[in-house]
Amino acid sequence: MGNKQVEDNKKLKGRLRLNKPYMWLINVLGGVACLFALLHFPSAQVDLRFLLLASLTVIVSSRVSVRIPRANTTITVSDAFIFLTMLLYNPEAAILLAAAEGTCSGLRLSKTPRTVLFNAGAMTCSTFLTTSVLHLILGPQFDLRHQPYSIAIAAICVMGLVQYIANTGLVAVCLSLKSDQPLWPTWSKHYLWSSVTYFAGAAVAGLIASSVGMIGLYAVLLTIPMISILYFTYYKYLEDIRATAAQAEQAERERAEAEHARAEAERERAEQFRYAAFHDALTNLPNRALLTENLKAVIERAKQEADYQFAVLFLDLDRFKNINDSLGHTIGDQLLVTIARRLEHSVRETDTVARLGGDEFAILLNGIKHSEDAIQMTERIQKEISKPFSLSGHEVFTTPSTGIALSVTGYDDPDDILRDADTAMYHAKERGKACYEMFDQSMHARAVNLLRLETDLRRALEREEFFVHYQPIVSLETGTLSGFEALVRWQHPERGFISPAEFVSVAEDTRLIIPLGLWVLRESCRQMCQWQWQSPANSSLILSVNLSGKQLTQPDLVEQIEVILKETHLNPRCLKLEITESVVMENAESAIAMLQGLKALGLQLSIDDFGTGYSSLSYLHRFPVDTLKIDRSFVSQMSMSDENAEIVRTIKTLASNLGMDVVAEGVETLEQLKQLAALQCEYGQGYLFSKPVDAEAATALLAKRPDWNVSAFSPTRESFVPARAVVSHLRSA
């Protein structure tokens, strides 16, 4: 038993011990009131009317009782006769009559002497208090006939109120002590609404007392039907209450039953909700939340058992997007469900297969002996998933790229091992997909570096750490400068120069390439406009700017470029946008629409790195393209292989037939230049002419106007004067 319960029991016993002294106190006070009434009782006023009234009170009214619903309490209508005695005779007669009535009604309620005496004592005390209050209002004679109307009404109301409060209050205190309940709730529950009998009895008694002079003894006789009407009216009222209470109890039972049914339904839904919260809706596999809970358990076990090991496999389906796009999401969902079943049949019962979302799955290998177990399971899964799937009449193939993370690395958080397995999976994809990689710390270090690079990349845009270099594009026919290609560069405040090969792919993955590409376009257009303003000879220069695949998917790309052209005042015919071959072929139809919109601005278009992708001739002639740029991989090996030279020749012929120019990238030697000139390529670009230089060096190059004609080239040299030397020469001059 708790300390609180012991303390509560002590309090209850203490309150019960107070109940008996309280009852005896009321009995003693009632006896004192009776003794006082006897000593002051005017026996000369005893007449036939008093005897009749006393007989009615003791014999009749005490037997006419009404039981209060939902309470172990009974009230009588004898108070009306006591009020009448009080008004027609004297206070002492009313006190003695109340004592007699309380005794008789008490005998009907209980055979316990103490209870009978308490009932009589309470009636006596309350009547004594009522007569005392009336004495203050009416004086020694309670004759309403000689009182003003307002005083009479007030006296009747006070009489009923005091008798009601005193009588019910004394009994309520007894019940409160006996039941260990607060006084106010006890009183309001049992007696609050019984006030009607007291006020009605006081009103009837007042009416009779005011009329007794006119009708004499008959007035007393009239009390019988009036009190009877009062009683039966009130009885009917209580019957209605009983009926209402019965209906309320029935409604309460029905409400309780409905509440029980609702609670059962809620519990049922809460199982359902728990299942939904921890399982994937499509495949019914555990989801990330349940996998995380299981990982917490095995991580704790690994800390406690030195020989216990586990592993996590992170799987991503290769080319799943292509399946969704070509066959629809319904087939894609069927594939995911089928793969889920294959994975479940491939692992042990102690393992957990979970779907993390999309086409990503994870497997917890619970209790392995060494890393070879994880590798063998991975190879088994690779083989099982690589088998063809028959889905709604379609034969579908896919392969998983898998990353493996072992518990021997040491983990405290489930997210960490999932992250490392995910990192290893991306390394597997970079290797060419359909393979697996085991996580090591170098992968994590690379991931951290990439994250730091992404953060720095975002800040670099805000801090304007980027700048543009310009590489000359030379007309191979005249040897003159025909334009520049704008190339972005990054000067990190702490790490120094960062190669585009390092940050451009990150910018692509994070879509930061979109604002970065617009910045490069705006800055280079501004610079080209400045060069053209400085000299009329520069008015024919063409500015080539790379356009990323992410930019090409922007629906408002045409409007953005149009705004930049207006801001920088660059003539659209002086701008050429370069898009890589693979980008335009990813979604050829939408690319055609976007290229036509760009072409409508009046600018030029070029396909970059041509020959490295998978262009279809059926699409190529539909592209509104002005130039093909031959990839440097073909140009750099022209002298070593006739096959590469033939590829360049073929591209040049194709471009001529389609009405396009050709720019050869990666020109680094005089031999390459001669071959390109012999093939009648229109333009060349490479280190043989100049490396990419900053705006200052490019300005100096424009002022120098070098001649890169093959016939003017010295046969004893294998390269031209680099742009940096040109700038130094101009400065020294």
Side-chain angles (χ1 to χ4, degrees):
M1 183 180 295
N3 294 333
K4 187 177 185 304
Q5 188 174 358
V6 172
E7 185 177 346
D8 291 342
N9 289 339
K10 290 182 179 178
K11 290 182 179 179
L12 175 59
K13 292 179 180 179
R15 291 175 66 89
L16 291 176
R17 284 197 297 267
L18 290 176
N19 184 47
K20 293 181 180 179
Y22 171 75
M23 294 179 68
W24 283 113
L25 174 63
I26 298 302
N27 293 341
V28 171
L29 292 178
V32 172
C34 287
L35 181 61
F36 173 82
L38 286 172
L39 293 176
H40 295 83
F41 182 73
S43 57
Q45 292 188 11
V46 176
D47 56 9
L48 182 60
R49 292 187 306 169
F50 176 73
L51 294 176
L52 178 60
L53 189 58
S55 300
L56 288 172
T57 303
V58 175
I59 298 173
V60 180
S61 67
S62 63
R63 294 184 178 275
V64 181
S65 60
V66 179
R67 186 173 183 81
I68 300 176
R70 298 189 179 185
N72 189 22
T73 307
T74 302
I75 64 172
T76 68
V77 292
S78 58
D79 293 283
F81 294 97
I82 294 174
F83 291 149
L84 188 58
T85 303
M86 197 181 300
L87 296 175
L88 290 179
Y89 294 96
N90 52 69
E92 292 78 11
I95 294 171
L96 293 174
L97 186 59
E101 192 281 332
T103 302
C104 293
S105 60
L107 288 172
R108 292 186 64 252
L109 294 173
S110 174
K111 301 301 181 182
T112 305
R114 186 176 61 189
T115 303
V116 175
L117 290 176
F118 175 77
N119 193 66
M123 283 292 293
T124 304
C125 290
S126 60
T127 304
F128 179 83
L129 181 60
T130 303
T131 57
S132 300
V133 174
L134 282 181
H135 186 275
L136 296 176
I137 298 175
L138 300 176
Q141 297 297 325
F142 299 170
D143 191 350
L144 298 179
R145 293 172 296 174
H146 300 92
Q147 299 291 341
Y149 183 74
S150 59
I151 297 297
I153 295 297
I156 291 172
C157 293
V158 170
M159 180 173 62
L161 179 64
V162 174
Q163 186 77 356
Y164 163 61
I165 293 177
N167 193 18
T168 58
L170 292 173
V171 178
V173 170
C174 182
L175 289 177
S176 174
L177 293 173
K178 185 176 181 180
S179 61
D180 190 33
Q181 296 295 325
L183 176 59
W184 171 253
T186 302
W187 181 80
S188 61
K189 176 182 178 182
H190 296 286
Y191 302 109
L192 181 62
W193 48 271
S194 66
S195 59
V196 64
T197 60
Y198 291 92
F199 286 104
V204 171
L207 179 61
I208 295 173
S210 301
S211 307
V212 73
M214 295 181 289
I215 58 176
L217 183 61
Y218 296 103
V220 178
L221 299 177
L222 288 174
T223 61
I224 297 175
M226 296 183 70
I227 296 300
S228 299
I229 292 173
L230 171 65
Y231 165 75
F232 286 111
T233 301
Y234 188 60
Y235 185 79
K236 177 61 176 168
Y237 165 70
L238 291 180
E239 284 296 318
D240 292 341
I241 290 180
R242 289 191 187 97
T244 303
Q247 294 176 355
E249 289 177 356
Q250 178 63 24
E252 180 65 22
R253 284 194 296 272
E254 293 176 354
R255 187 200 64 78
E257 292 174 357
E259 186 67 27
H260 177 72
R262 186 162 52 249
E264 289 295 327
E266 287 293 336
R267 282 192 290 270
E268 180 66 21
R269 283 195 294 269
E271 292 167 357
Q272 291 176 358
F273 287 154
R274 176 174 174 80
Y275 185 87
F278 287 99
H279 289 81
D280 174 57
L282 177 64
T283 63
N284 288 326
L285 290 177
N287 59 12
R288 181 183 289 270
L290 183 53
L291 177 64
T292 299
E293 292 298 317
N294 292 347
L295 282 172
K296 289 179 181 178
V298 296
I299 287 174
E300 286 302 316
R301 182 177 176 183
K303 292 179 179 179
Q304 298 171 4
E305 301 178 18
D307 59 344
Y308 174 77
Q309 296 183 37
F310 65 92
V312 171
L313 312 183
F314 200 108
L315 288 78
D316 184 88
L317 302 181
D318 302 325
R319 300 175 302 280
F320 179 74
K321 183 178 183 300
N322 294 339
I323 297 173
N324 257 348
D325 293 343
S326 59
L327 300 180
H329 289 275
T330 300
I331 299 297
D333 288 346
Q334 292 179 19
L335 176 61
L336 293 174
V337 172
T338 308
I339 286 176
R341 302 291 81 82
R342 287 192 183 183
L343 290 175
E344 286 180 319
H345 287 94
S346 300
V347 301
R348 305 164 300 172
E349 291 185 359
T350 56
D351 300 330
T352 301
V353 180
R355 183 189 177 207
L356 304 183
D359 60 334
E360 292 182 339
F361 296 85
I363 300 175
L364 167 60
L365 300 180
N366 186 1
I368 60 174
K369 295 182 179 179
H370 41 69
S371 61
E372 286 300 320
D373 293 343
I375 294 175
Q376 290 176 5
M377 179 62 74
T378 302
E379 292 176 343
R380 178 181 177 182
I381 291 172
Q382 296 274 130
K383 182 179 179 181
E384 189 68 23
I385 300 300
S386 298
K387 295 178 181 178
F389 296 84
S390 179
L391 306 171
S392 300
H394 299 277
E395 191 173 45
V396 178
F397 292 88
T398 188
T399 54
S401 294
T402 308
I404 307 172
L406 301 174
S407 61
V408 292
T409 303
Y411 293 99
D412 295 319
D413 193 324
D415 289 340
D416 292 343
I417 191 170
L418 286 174
R419 176 203 63 203
D420 291 350
D422 187 20
T423 300
M425 182 272 294
Y426 274 105
H427 278 264
K429 278 192 176 295
E430 290 176 356
R431 276 184 53 198
K433 305 177 182 180
C435 59
Y436 61 87
E437 281 285 345
M438 188 83 72
F439 174 81
D440 59 43
Q441 290 300 331
S442 64
M443 294 181 182
H444 180 62
R446 180 184 174 190
V448 171
N449 289 335
L450 286 176
L451 179 61
R452 184 167 63 247
L453 184 63
E454 178 185 343
T455 303
D456 292 346
L457 195 59
R458 294 182 185 276
R459 293 175 179 171
L461 281 170
E462 300 172 359
R463 299 173 181 175
E464 299 182 353
E465 296 173 1
F466 295 101
F467 56 95
V468 180
H469 272 187
Y470 302 89
Q471 186 171 29
I473 299 176
V474 177
S475 171
L476 300 187
E477 181 180 359
T478 64
T480 59
L481 181 67
S482 65
F484 292 97
E485 179 180 359
L487 300 168
V488 66
R489 297 294 184 262
W490 181 11
Q491 186 68 28
H492 193 281
E494 298 174 358
R495 300 172 59 188
F497 178 78
I498 299 180
S499 169
E502 185 176 352
F503 71 81
V504 169
S505 60
V506 178
E508 287 276 357
D509 292 340
T510 59
R511 299 185 70 84
L512 290 173
I513 196 67
I514 295 174
L516 179 58
L518 290 176
W519 179 86
V520 172
L521 179 62
R522 180 178 289 104
E523 175 63 21
S524 57
C525 285
R526 182 199 60 79
Q527 182 63 62
M528 177 58 74
C529 189
Q530 182 177 345
W531 285 330
Q532 292 177 345
W533 179 81
Q534 289 174 348
S535 172
N538 298 334
S539 60
S540 61
L541 293 176
I542 302 297
L543 174 68
S544 295
V545 181
N546 291 286
L547 196 66
S548 76
K550 294 293 191 300
Q551 287 179 278
L552 200 63
T553 62
Q554 296 297 296
D556 58 345
L557 176 64
V558 175
E559 290 78 5
Q560 292 175 345
I561 294 176
E562 185 177 16
V563 168
I564 291 176
L565 289 172
K566 290 180 180 178
E567 287 179 355
T568 58
H569 305 288
L570 182 66
N571 191 327
R573 67 178 180 80
C574 297
L575 177 63
K576 180 183 292 184
L577 298 178
E578 298 187 1
I579 305 107
T580 59
E581 180 184 10
S582 58
V583 167
V584 295
M585 290 306 300
E586 280 182 0
N587 197 333
E589 292 296 335
S590 61
I592 290 172
M594 178 63 75
L595 294 178
Q596 289 173 342
L598 294 171
K599 191 68 177 176
L601 295 177
L603 48 76
Q604 300 182 52
L605 296 174
S606 173
I607 293 184
D608 196 11
D609 300 334
F610 189 80
T612 61
Y614 45 89
S615 292
S616 170
L617 296 181
S618 63
Y619 277 107
L620 187 58
H621 79 278
R622 296 173 57 191
F623 292 142
V625 174
D626 303 283
T627 303
L628 295 181
K629 293 192 75 172
I630 303 175
D631 187 70
R632 66 181 65 250
S633 61
F634 301 119
V635 175
S636 62
Q637 300 183 30
M638 286 176 58
S639 60
M640 296 183 294
S641 169
D642 292 337
E643 180 181 345
N644 286 308
E646 285 302 316
I647 291 176
V648 174
R649 185 191 306 276
T650 301
I651 295 175
K652 166 57 185 169
T653 303
L654 174 64
S656 299
N657 292 336
L658 294 176
M660 301 176 186
D661 295 331
V662 167
V663 176
E665 294 185 288
V667 182
E668 297 181 353
T669 66
L670 179 60
E671 181 63 27
Q672 293 168 0
L673 177 60
K674 290 179 178 179
Q675 286 182 287
L676 291 171
L679 293 173
Q680 297 182 342
C681 289
E682 285 83 2
Y683 302 98
Q685 177 182 352
Y687 282 9
L688 181 63
F689 308 115
S690 173
K691 294 181 178 181
V693 295
D694 59 23
E696 182 183 2
T699 302
L701 196 62
L702 287 171
K704 177 69 174 178
R705 289 290 174 183
D707 182 9
W708 283 304
N709 195 297
V710 176
S711 60
F713 184 74
S714 173
T716 60
R717 295 188 305 170
E718 281 297 309
S719 64
F720 294 104
V721 178
R724 185 172 301 172
V726 173
V727 175
S728 301
H729 173 75
L730 291 175
R731 286 177 177 170
S732 62

